[in-house]
Every structure is written in structure tokens, then in C-alpha cells.
Amino acid sequence: MQTPWESLANEHILGIAPYEPGKPIEELERELGIQWAIKLASNENPLSPSDRVQKAIAAALPNLNRYPDGSAFYLRQALAKRHNAAPEQIVLGNGSNELIELIVRAFLRPGEEAIIPHPSFVVYPMIVQAAGGIRVVITLKDYRLDLEAMARAITPLTKLVFIANPNNPTATIVTAAEVERFVAGIPPTVIVVFDEAYIEFAMGPDFPDSLAYVRQGRKVFVLRTFSKAASLAGLRVGYGIAQADAMALLHRVRQPFNVNSLAQVAALAALEDDGHILECVRMNEAGRHFLYDEFTALGIKYVLSRANFILVDVGRSAHDVYQRLLREGVIVRPMTSFGMETALRITVGTPEENRRLIKALRKVLEEVRSA
Ligand SMILES: *Cc1c(COP(=O)(O)O)cnc(C)c1O
């Protein structure tokens, strides 16, 4: 039965399962009567924004009575310089999530198809569905995007292909050679979206240079974000890079002030602070290796990660382990909603947080193994 409001709704949205945010850390602490809960659930950077960035934000506070610069002039200049592109090739968004939405709104007609890997970022199917698009879901192979199967799924109705690289929640990559082969076979009527939210953690000689495809004039968008390596998830700022005429279309559908002024100054300052990103990448790398060793000692299987999170298989109900970890003040992400009943996605934290996680996990596994 539809409610009176549902019968008025755009029917495309009725089938969408709303994104389930975790509970705030403060609320968990209140329930448990503790003050030291840790959140390893949303792939956030465990380090605060750098001093330089915090100072830039503080300096911009007195001007909050003004609207932001709707063209994000300075930030686009800086990004263009960084990526050896023109400012006209950059569109900013309220997180890179907004770019996904803008691309779908600008290009996907109702009834057209978007090829989406699974399990992957939950936002792709939500936005495609809301636009009345058809989701063509291609299952991963050995925890990695199956680019060959995705290429085979292209039909005359295909408009978009989403490639999360590294993929969330598996933290695996598709390589430069694989992407090269894939892109070579894509018809010019199909747009490929490379979502590279975790690229800073994934860099290596095997990682694809997706911007080269932009320079070649291919139908691709490259999405990046300040939410992960730059420690700015709370401010919501991301961007896309593509050909200027593609971007002109996104400008038509975006809100005039979609990126707020604090986000703009913070992102600009973050771009001048590669030291912070380097520190985060190094800490993450050390954290991954610490966790691999500890998971092995605990008899937990994991997928080798090229990002700031690790997919683990706890070999029993992940939801149960998740609930028990919560009681220890450790928040992780169960993969139950992806149909992975024994998997958890765990964000790499600070060394201290990683030790806390392992201690809690050891306790919880002893509980359930002796139960
Ligand atoms: C975290 C994440 C993003 C970043 O989203 P923002 O809106 O920029 O915070 C994008 N794509 C994937 C796959 C992610 O996991």
C-alpha cells in the first residue's frame, strides 16, 4: 500500500533503499557511558585537517555573510594547474558525490542504461534509479571489477559506465593495462566515469593514468575528492575533470553556489599542503601492514588493500561481530547489505586506533568462538 505522499512521488524514487548512515559517535558513547569510541566505518581520514588548512578556514569565518564564489575561481585555477588542464575542464561539487549526480542528470535519459559494478559504491545505483535509468549490475570477480564483463554488457542503450578505482568496499584496483584494453573497446556514445576517491593511497606504476584519456578526447570523467587523503570529508568538496564542452553541460545543471566558501578556502590550502597528504598516505601504509599481520594472527582473511580501508572475512555473522565491536566502542561497517554475510569493511585508523580495534576484535572473536 502506498501512503498518500508516496502516490504523489516520482515513481523512480520509490524503489530506492535510503542510504543508512551510522549512528553518531557521540550517541554510541552516550549509550555505552564511554568517551573513547572510535569510528572506522566511513573511510574518513583519521587525522584532522592540517594547521595550514584550519587557519585558512578560521580566516574565512568573518566573510560567511557573503555567498561563496559561484565559479570557485581560485580553486579551479589551482586544480587546473595541478592537473595540467584548463580551468574550464574542472567542475567542483559538494563532494565528488555531487559530480556523480550532475553527470547522471546531464547525460542519462530515462530508460538508458548505466553499467555498475557490484559490490561497489552504493551511490551509483541510487542516483541512476532516481533518474529513471536502468541499472546493469556486473558482479566483481575475485573482489575486483570485471572490466571484460562490463565491456560485454554494453548495448545500444548504454550511456554510462562507473569504475570505482580503487573500488569501495573491496579496496582493489583495476590496472593501467586492464583499463587501456577496456577503454579501447568502448564506443564513443558511452561515457566512462572513473571515480578515484582513494587515488592517493593507490598510486603505483600499475595504476591507470585516467587523465590521459581526458587529454585524448575520450568520453570520460575523472572524479577526485578532498574527503579522504585531504582530511576534509566534513566540508564536502570534490571535483571532476573532463573535456571543457562536457563540463559546460554539468555547469548547466549544478546549483550556482554548490561548494561553500569554507570548503573552497580549505581545499585551496590543502592543495598547497602535500606534506599532510604524504603523512596520511605513509601512516595508512604502515597501518595496513600492521592490520594484515594482526588479522592473520587472529585467523581472519582479508583482501589486500590499495586504499585506506580493508575488507575482511570474519568467517561468521559479520552483523553479530559488528554489534559486539560496537559494545567495545569500535564502529566498523558490516557488509550485510551487499549480501556479504561474513564481511566487514574496516577503515585504517591511527596506530592507536588500529591497536584498539585489534584488541576489541580479539576479545569479540574469543567470545563468539567460545559461545
Ligand atoms: C568516499 C568515496 C567518495 C567520496 O565522496 P565525497 O562526496 O567526495 O565525499 C567517492 N567515491 C567513492 C567510491 C567513495 O568511497
Side-chain angles (χ1 to χ4, degrees), residues 12-21 122-127 129-130 135 337:
H12 297 313
I13 73 155
L14 291 175
I16 298 176
Y19 180 78
E20 294 272 356
V122 290
V123 172
Y124 312 141
M126 282 176 71
I127 293 177
Q129 196 173 354
R135 293 155 293 159
S337 58

Side-chain angles (χ1 to χ4, degrees), residues 99 116 130 134 141 193 201 204 210 212 270 295 301 308 326 330:
L99 268 301
I116 297 171
I134 310 289
K141 196 168 155 187
V193 180
F201 303 109
S210 56
F295 291 150
K301 284 192 242 141
N308 66 344
L326 273 186
V330 176

Side-chain angles (χ1 to χ4, degrees), residues 95-97 121 124 164 168 195 197-198 225 227-228 236:
S96 55
N97 269 277
F121 199 35
Y124 312 141
N168 175 6
D195 180 352
Y198 303 97
T225 182
S227 294
K228 306 285 160 58
R236 317 300 303 120

Side-chain angles (χ1 to χ4, degrees), residues 234-356:
L235 277 179
R236 317 300 303 120
V237 52
Y239 57 100
I241 311 170
Q243 288 180 283
D245 52 345
M247 289 320 203
L249 296 166
L250 299 196
H251 278 300
R252 294 189 193 193
V253 292
R254 77 173 175 90
Q255 301 243 354
F257 303 116
N258 61 334
V259 179
N260 73 72
S261 45
L262 298 185
Q264 290 187 34
V265 296
L268 198 53
L271 271 179
E272 289 162 11
D273 202 353
D274 288 333
H276 176 78
I277 289 179
L278 201 62
E279 182 190 348
C280 295
V281 167
R282 286 207 182 116
M283 188 181 75
N284 179 67
E285 176 82 30
R288 280 192 304 217
H289 285 101
F290 169 80
L291 291 176
Y292 293 158
D293 289 347
E294 296 292 331
F295 291 150
T296 302
L298 290 172
I300 292 174
K301 284 192 242 141
Y302 58 85
V303 180
L304 276 176
S305 164
R306 291 289 291 266
N308 66 344
F309 56 93
I310 305 175
L311 186 73
V312 302
D313 183 345
V314 290
R316 52 185 36 77
S317 164
H319 194 257
D320 181 41
V321 172
Y322 157 73
Q323 292 281 357
R324 289 170 187 268
L325 282 173
L326 273 186
R327 275 176 246 143
E328 303 298 320
V330 176
I331 313 174
V332 298
R333 181 81 61 159
M335 291 290 108
T336 330
S337 58
F338 287 101
M340 303 166 94
E341 297 297 328
T342 61
L344 296 172
R345 191 193 67 195
I346 301 176
T347 308
V348 179
T350 62
E352 161 73 16
E353 288 173 332
N354 296 336
R355 283 192 295 272
R356 286 261 330 271

Side-chain angles (χ1 to χ4, degrees), residues 100-126:
I100 300 168
E101 190 145 22
L102 296 178
I103 291 166
V104 167
R105 204 181 309 150
F107 293 100
L108 190 71
R109 301 187 186 101
E112 289 185 332
E113 296 171 354
I115 297 175
I116 297 171
H118 176 86
S120 186
F121 199 35
V122 290
V123 172
Y124 312 141
M126 282 176 71

Side-chain angles (χ1 to χ4, degrees), residues 71-87 90 92 226 239 241 264-265 267-272:
S71 76
F73 182 84
Y74 296 107
L75 182 52
R76 283 202 302 145
Q77 291 268 329
L79 284 168
K81 195 162 162 221
R82 166 65 59 106
H83 294 299
N84 203 4
I90 314 263
L92 287 151
F226 288 90
Y239 57 100
I241 311 170
Q264 290 187 34
V265 296
L268 198 53
L271 271 179
E272 289 162 11

